[in-house]
């Protein structure tokens, strides 16, 4: 569900980081060049995406295990 909640740039970053759509995973530097962003901005956005994914996993575990 996180993917659908991302803005278009976030989706592109996630796709490129994971190597989706038949591509190899890309570095922050390569993504930054392709999206005309700084590598730091790519890194920050990727970290927020990862946190959203982990928060979702943790929420699901709490629901499953009643914690």
């Amino acid at each position: 569900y996180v993917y659908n909640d991302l803005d278009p740039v976030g989706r592109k970053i996630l796709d490129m980081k994971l190597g989706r759509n038949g591509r190899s995973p890309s570095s922050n530097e390569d993504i930054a060049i392709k999206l005309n962003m700084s590598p730091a901005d790519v890194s920050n956005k990727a970290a927020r995406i990862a946190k959203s994914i982990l928060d979702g996993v943790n929420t699901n575990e709490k629901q499953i295990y009643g914690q």
Side-chain angles (χ1 to χ4, degrees):
Y1 298 108
V2 171
Y3 187 83
N4 293 328
D5 292 337
L6 296 173
D7 63 7
V9 172
R11 289 180 186 176
K12 288 179 185 177
I13 290 172
L14 184 58
D15 288 341
M16 290 184 211
K17 291 293 285 182
L18 296 177
R20 291 176 39 123
N21 302 319
R23 297 182 178 153
S24 297
S26 298
S27 69
N28 288 345
E29 292 78 14
D30 290 338
I31 295 169
I33 291 167
K34 290 176 185 173
L35 298 181
N36 197 29
M37 299 172 67
S38 73
D41 287 341
V42 172
S43 179
N44 290 336
K45 193 152 183 105
R48 285 192 301 271
I49 293 167
K51 183 181 180 318
S52 294
I53 292 169
L54 289 174
D55 287 348
V57 169
N58 291 336
T59 298
N60 287 339
E61 285 182 356
K62 288 177 185 175
Q63 291 173 346
I64 292 169
Y65 299 112
Q67 296 175 346

